[in-house]
Amino acid sequence: MNSSVTALLVSHDGARWLPSVIDGLRSQTVPLRRVVAVDTTSRDESPELLRQAFGPPHTVPGSTTFPQAVRHGLDQIPEEGPEAPEWIWILHDDANPAPDALEALLAAAAEHPDADILGPKLREWPSLKRLLELGITISGTGRRETGLERGEYDQGQHDDIRTVLAVNTAGMLVRRRVLEELGGFDTQLPIFGNDVDFGWRAAAAGHRTIIVPAAVVFHAEAAHRGIRRTPITGRHTHYQERRAALYTLLVNSQGRSLPFQLLRLGLGTLLRMIGFLLVRSVGEALDELAALVSLYGSPREILKARRARRGKAVVPPESVKPLLAPPWLPYRHGLDFLGDVANALTNQASDVAERRREAKAAVAPPSLTPTRPTAAADEDMLAEDTGVVARFLTNPVAVFLTLFGLLAMVGARAAFGDVAGGGLSPMPANTRDWWELHLSSWHALGGGTAVPPMPYVLPLALLASLLGGPGPAVSTIFVLAVPVSLWGAWRFLRVVGRLVAPAGAPRGILLWGATTYSLLPVVSGAWGDGRIGTVVVAMLFPWLAHAALGFADPDPDRRWRAAWRVSLLLALGTAFAPVIWLVAVVLGLVVVAAAFAIVRSVMADRSVWGPPAASLGVVPVLLSPWWIPAVIHGAGEGLLLEAGRLPSPVVDARDLLTGRMGDLGAPWWWGVVLLVLAVLALLPRVTRIPVIVCWMVAFVTAIVAVVLGAFQLSLAAVTTDVGLGALVVVLQGTFVVATMIGAQGMALRVARADWSWRRVLAVAVAAVAVAVPLTSLGWFVAGTQDRLDEGGGADIPEYMVQSSMTGPEHGILVIRGDLDHGLTYTVRRGDGVTLGEDEVIDLTAEDPAFTKTVRALTSRPTPPVVDSLARSGIEYVVLPSPADGDVAAALDASGGLVQASAEDRSTRAWKVSHALDPHALDGPRSWLRIVLLVVQGLGIVVVAVLCAPTTNRRRES
């Protein structure tokens, strides 16, 4: 067979692969007319290897791109005469052809004379069996598509010759005239993506590209895998790959779809950046952004390349479209990515469990180390010969926890649907109201205010966006309060039990601790009173404590990972109950001081004290849009409030010790039982030290609560105590942990002793302890007293409420009381005071000018006073039942006020007849808050990324 083929080999620092590549070229069953080697100033032995094999290579600068190197090699090959080849066989220095590769390519060319570009089957080098490519195409998002499964082995399943969009340049056989006609490879694609672009241009020019599976080339993909770096890629291989993909799509796609393509690629880049950040691949995320900016900032290059391609295209774009990837493929890849993230999380959890089992086996005596699964094995071990249902039904722990969770949801039936009442204000009409409240620097509440809302508005807005509205979001929190607390407490207490003893705590003790803790927000009265701040802290506390255990991990990297998780959870808890951060700071100072006093040498390592300090320091940054403007605008008292209506419940010493808030909790003596059990937990010597640690946490929490409880906050609208509901739950939670640890120590002691008075006493104490969660659950399911069924304000006529919803200038001035006992006023706007607005209104300072206007209105109203109401955005004035006769008579006689109807005859109402000012509630924009919101958003993303697992396949490979 007369080949008329010249091989063009491009090399750069490829000495580790070149010996095999040279042998592959020499062993071809079809002789080559010539081998032209182009070396881009390699720093290893590549030039010498090439010289010995094929004569002196053609050396070009190291900055030469792959298209330029190919162009230089073509210039060394004559275009006419007997030495002019018909075919050019392009090879990389890391692509080793099988001995019969060229023969198979030429045989296919003879069988398909209309084919101008042919490509071999690429298999992975050095594995040799794993498939890399059998032709390539590109998706609408720029992804390089091979049609192969990840890690697929070659079993002859793809051995049909077929037409494709493009083939890899590693082993590409192309007619010399076609290569010259198309102008070679695009110099805008220096190293990656030039094969797809060349194939797309060839297809548009009417040339056919086929894949020949009988020809095999083994490819190391050194540049793509980062095995070697070149002056062109440097450390940013992903940037070059992504830029090449975007460029290929923009210069080759149809003209009418270019605007859509620009928008799609821009939004797609943002989504890809988020995906990379989620798996902690910050470098790749920045490369994505840099690639997009590089191309979108050079529109002339894109237009120039499109004009060049338009001049050589001879077939309609519809002829090329079947060669492109189907439009649904990117969405499948998106689902695959989510699966990868889930697998990474699962693998990380498995690694943690494996480390714990290894630690347990290392500490436990050989006689206690099980050699096969038994009935006493860990509850997470699954039998291999049973199904999921069978394992569930035969696992009493799983059955009990499931029934407990279902009964708890039955007890929470009052929270199904719209929830409001007690300390919980009604929900806003839609999620957008929460987003506007969080993002705005000026709020049309009352007379207008710049006081920022509490930071819990942001997580509520995010949850409402996911669940379809504010109502479902808050209802979900209250319905799942007990199950989520149960799950978190089980995880945390199980780890604590293993830290106390390698064998872990008995299941019965774990069940008691998890169920008792999960009911704390219910029996305390916080749930029934709608104290969402306390409820959320109760849900988060075991998860936060579980994350904080990571500070004791011997691996510094895991300690820092624990820091970011603690900071995120602590910031979320602080958003609902700011005093939680104060307790964490005091507790952190106590622990660090004790550690410096006991193990000073260990604390010299920054990775020991740094993570706890970082977790505390990050919280003020994440919450900066709240506390900095609050201090600036004189609302610093908000740093000591809790989410919900004011005044906050009064919490005294007895409430702290018994875990009760107000009059909606379970009988207080149930809390006394838990306190006594925590005291008794100090008796077993074997567990006394961890129990003392729990009591230290309880002592710090109690001291902070007592100090803060000595203050009262005098706000503009109300006088209230500091919000201490969350500290009640934290204190009771430490009692639960202490009791569980003490019970674990008592169980070890009783198991070793004969039947005696100690065992009888232990049984009696256990019976009393078991009664606590059982009776609490029964009390909850039977139907507790709660205030979660509050209706709307019936003292304001409905038509006025509807009018106020049309704009902030349609306010309603509500005046209550009488002249003998004093009058108070409030201004209702929109849908009234909703969750998130309570603290803003209460923290806003009184407007003396408007108060003077209201005083004049109720004593001696004049037309200028009424006109002042209109300028302040007041449309109606209402005296709810029972209306003061003297005030009503004065308003009846006032010019500018027209009597309005009300359903209740003892309620009086008037409408302001003057024109309302549409800009009455306009206020200034705060650039400081905008900057702080940006800082908060970036901080949340960064901390979330640092918390996430890594699924970077390239790094793993």
Side-chain angles (χ1 to χ4, degrees):
M1 182 182 295
N2 186 10
S3 66
S4 184
V5 178
T6 292
L8 199 164
L9 176 62
V10 180
S11 172
H12 179 83
D13 290 342
R16 73 175 77 175
W17 305 285
L18 272 176
S20 298
V21 175
I22 293 172
D23 290 343
L25 284 171
R26 286 174 171 173
S27 62
Q28 290 300 304
T29 56
V30 174
L32 288 163
R33 175 164 297 183
R34 182 183 179 190
V35 176
V36 176
V38 179
D39 184 78
T40 57
T41 316
S42 296
R43 294 167 295 180
D44 57 9
E45 297 81 15
S46 297
E48 180 60 22
L49 292 172
L50 294 173
R51 186 192 64 78
Q52 294 176 3
F54 310 117
H58 300 277
T59 303
V60 293
S63 60
T64 303
T65 64
F66 181 80
Q68 292 170 341
V70 172
R71 180 72 265 170
H72 183 83
L74 287 176
D75 292 341
Q76 316 308 316
I77 304 173
E79 297 186 31
E80 299 179 356
E83 296 297 323
E86 178 185 1
W87 296 94
I88 301 296
W89 195 22
I90 302 174
L91 288 169
H92 302 176
D93 58 359
D94 61 345
N96 182 19
D100 60 347
L102 182 57
E103 181 181 357
L105 290 171
L106 291 174
E111 184 181 351
H112 302 274
D114 59 334
D116 298 318
I117 307 170
L118 300 92
K121 174 196 298 182
L122 292 186
R123 293 213 304 239
E124 189 179 50
W125 189 12
S127 72
L128 305 183
K129 283 294 184 180
R130 192 172 296 164
L131 290 171
L132 291 179
E133 291 178 0
L134 284 105
I136 47 179
T137 185
I138 190 170
S139 70
T141 58
R143 183 186 177 99
R144 187 183 181 95
E145 299 292 346
T146 63
L148 301 173
E149 296 294 332
R150 193 186 312 164
E152 184 174 352
Y153 279 85
D154 184 13
Q155 298 174 334
Q157 67 272 38
H158 302 289
D159 280 1
D160 295 329
I161 296 177
R162 65 185 187 279
T163 303
V164 295
L165 177 70
V167 294
N168 200 300
T169 53
M172 174 191 289
L173 184 67
V174 56
R175 296 185 191 274
R176 168 72 180 267
R177 62 174 177 81
V178 174
L179 196 56
E180 297 286 358
E181 173 191 329
L182 295 177
F185 300 106
D186 195 329
T187 56
Q188 289 294 325
L189 302 171
I191 190 168
F192 298 115
N194 38 61
D195 45 10
V196 178
D197 173 75
F198 181 78
W200 199 335
R201 287 188 287 130
H207 302 292
R208 184 186 177 202
T209 301
I210 64 173
I211 187 70
V212 184
V216 178
V217 172
F218 304 98
H219 194 196
E221 295 186 309
H224 168 71
R225 296 175 184 269
I227 299 176
R228 66 174 169 194
R229 295 175 182 171
T230 69
I232 298 173
T233 60
R235 297 184 178 181
H236 299 282
T237 300
H238 184 75
Y239 163 77
Q240 293 290 351
E241 290 180 335
R242 188 57 184 164
R243 186 185 185 280
L246 297 177
Y247 178 86
T248 300
L249 285 174
L250 292 176
V251 300
N252 291 290
S253 58
Q254 299 183 45
R256 65 170 179 262
S257 65
L258 185 60
F260 170 76
Q261 195 69 271
L262 289 169
L263 179 62
R264 181 183 187 182
L265 293 178
L267 294 177
T269 296
L270 294 178
L271 292 177
R272 288 169 63 90
M273 289 178 62
I274 294 173
F276 280 119
L277 291 174
L278 287 176
V279 295
R280 303 184 70 223
S281 297
V282 180
E284 281 84 347
L286 295 177
D287 285 342
E288 290 277 338
L289 179 61
L292 184 73
V293 172
S294 172
L295 286 176
Y296 281 25
S298 306
R300 293 183 180 179
E301 295 181 4
I302 303 297
L303 296 176
K304 179 181 177 181
R306 290 184 63 84
R307 286 193 297 268
R309 285 156 175 74
R310 191 163 51 244
K312 295 181 180 180
V314 297
V315 299
E318 290 74 15
S319 301
V320 181
K321 189 175 181 179
L323 302 176
L324 300 173
W328 49 262
L329 200 56
Y331 304 104
R332 175 186 170 184
H333 291 317
L335 294 176
D336 291 341
F337 171 78
L338 294 178
D340 289 342
V341 173
N343 288 335
L345 290 170
T346 304
N347 293 337
Q348 185 183 50
S350 299
D351 291 342
V352 173
E354 182 62 27
R355 290 199 306 272
R356 290 172 181 164
R357 283 193 289 270
E358 292 175 355
K360 176 181 176 181
V363 175
S367 60
L368 298 180
T369 303
T371 58
R372 62 185 181 86
T374 64
D378 188 272
E379 63 272 15
D380 293 332
M381 298 181 65
L382 303 178
E384 298 180 357
D385 58 346
T386 57
V388 175
V389 176
R391 291 197 300 269
F392 171 77
L393 294 177
T394 56
N395 188 336
V397 174
V399 173
F400 178 83
L401 290 178
T402 301
L403 292 177
F404 186 91
L406 292 175
L407 289 174
M409 295 182 69
V410 172
R413 57 190 177 273
F416 287 93
D418 292 334
V419 185
L424 186 67
S425 292
M427 302 305 108
N430 48 61
T431 307
R432 183 185 62 204
D433 295 339
W434 269 340
W435 282 114
E436 290 180 353
L437 184 64
H438 173 68
L439 298 174
S440 300
S441 55
W442 181 265
H443 313 289
L445 301 174
T449 178
V451 172
M454 284 188 67
Y456 69 83
V457 173
L458 175 59
L460 287 182
L462 290 170
L463 185 61
S465 299
L466 293 175
L467 299 181
V474 175
S475 177
T476 299
I477 291 174
F478 278 82
V479 170
L480 297 182
V482 173
V484 172
S485 301
L486 176 68
W487 182 18
W490 175 269
R491 292 180 72 251
F492 171 67
L493 294 176
R494 189 173 60 180
V495 176
V496 170
R498 288 171 175 167
L499 292 176
V500 173
R507 296 185 186 183
I509 295 177
L510 287 176
L511 283 175
W512 178 88
T515 54
T516 301
Y517 176 82
S518 66
L519 291 169
L520 288 181
V522 174
V523 299
S524 67
W527 193 94
D529 196 31
R531 294 294 166 181
I532 190 172
T534 304
V535 172
V536 170
V537 169
M539 298 167 69
L540 291 176
F541 182 56
W543 301 88
L544 175 62
H546 184 276
L549 292 177
F551 291 146
D553 197 293
D555 186 355
D557 182 66
R558 292 195 178 98
R559 290 200 293 269
W560 281 107
R561 185 77 62 83
W564 309 127
R565 291 173 180 168
V566 169
S567 63
L568 199 60
L569 291 171
L570 183 59
L572 184 57
T574 305
F576 286 87
V579 294
I580 290 296
W581 184 76
L582 295 178
V583 173
V585 170
V586 176
L587 185 61
L589 293 175
V590 171
V591 171
V592 171
F596 268 110
I598 299 172
V599 284
R600 183 183 299 270
S601 59
V602 174
M603 296 303 292
D605 185 358
R606 187 174 61 180
S607 67
V608 174
W609 58 264
S615 64
L616 294 173
V618 167
V619 174
V621 177
L622 297 182
L623 303 184
S624 58
W626 161 60
W627 68 270
I628 293 179
V631 172
I632 292 175
H633 295 290
E637 297 90 344
L639 276 63
L640 298 176
L641 298 179
E642 194 173 286
R645 283 175 175 164
L646 299 179
S648 300
V650 178
V651 176
D652 55 23
R654 192 191 76 170
D655 295 329
L656 277 175
L657 295 177
T658 59
R660 298 299 178 263
M661 296 168 51
D663 57 349
L664 296 179
W668 64 269
W669 53 267
W670 288 0
V672 174
V673 174
L674 184 58
L675 174 62
V676 172
L677 292 173
V679 173
L680 294 177
L682 292 167
L683 296 179
R685 290 184 179 181
V686 67
T687 55
R688 187 169 297 168
I689 291 179
V691 171
I692 290 176
V693 172
C694 294
W695 272 100
M696 183 185 71
V697 176
F699 181 75
V700 170
T701 304
I703 289 297
V704 173
V706 170
V707 171
L708 294 179
F711 296 92
Q712 276 196 331
L713 306 177
S714 297
L715 309 181
V718 67
T719 298
T720 179
D721 288 85
V722 176
L724 301 178
L727 300 191
V728 173
V729 171
V730 172
L731 186 61
Q732 296 299 307
T734 58
F735 290 165
V736 171
V737 178
T739 303
M740 192 216 74
I741 296 174
Q744 186 177 356
M746 182 62 71
L748 293 174
R749 185 173 181 179
V750 170
R752 298 169 184 169
D754 296 330
W755 186 269
S756 63
W757 66 270
R758 290 189 179 92
R759 179 168 292 189
V760 174
L761 179 61
V763 171
V765 172
V768 174
V770 169
V772 173
L774 293 181
T775 54
S776 299
L777 179 63
W779 175 81
F780 185 40
V781 173
T784 63
Q785 295 180 350
D786 62 70
R787 302 191 180 103
L788 301 181
D789 56 354
E790 178 184 285
D795 51 1
I796 299 178
E798 182 62 26
Y799 71 90
M800 296 185 186
V801 175
Q802 295 295 331
S803 177
S804 69
M805 298 281 287
T806 61
E809 70 274 13
H810 297 272
I812 305 172
L813 175 62
V814 183
I815 303 176
R816 304 179 187 274
D818 53 52
L819 294 177
D820 295 334
H821 300 89
L823 298 173
T824 60
Y825 74 89
T826 57
V827 177
R828 172 178 176 138
R829 301 189 188 275
D831 51 359
V833 180
T834 59
L835 182 62
E837 298 175 347
D838 311 79
E839 302 86 3
V840 176
I841 295 176
D842 291 331
L843 289 169
T844 300
E846 180 182 5
D847 184 354
F850 189 75
T851 300
K852 182 178 180 181
T853 299
V854 175
R855 186 177 293 112
L857 179 70
T858 56
S859 58
R860 189 175 296 176
T862 60
V865 171
V866 177
D867 186 61
S868 178
L869 290 178
R871 291 197 306 270
S872 300
I874 300 298
E875 183 179 18
Y876 290 98
V877 178
V878 177
L879 270 63
S881 175
D884 184 278
D886 295 335
V887 176
L891 295 179
D892 285 335
S894 175
L897 291 179
V898 180
Q899 291 191 30
S901 62
E903 295 182 3
D904 189 346
R905 293 186 178 181
S906 59
T907 296
R908 298 295 308 277
W910 296 265
K911 181 176 182 180
V912 177
S913 60
H914 296 202
L916 302 176
D917 184 2
H919 304 290
L921 274 296
D922 291 350
R925 174 181 297 176
S926 171
W927 290 104
L928 172 62
R929 179 165 174 81
I930 294 175
V931 172
L932 294 176
L933 287 171
V934 173
V935 171
Q936 180 188 52
L938 294 176
I940 292 174
V941 170
V942 170
V943 174
V945 167
L946 293 174
C947 292
T950 301
T951 62
N952 192 321
R953 298 177 198 151
R954 183 173 299 168
R955 292 176 185 171
E956 293 175 355
S957 63

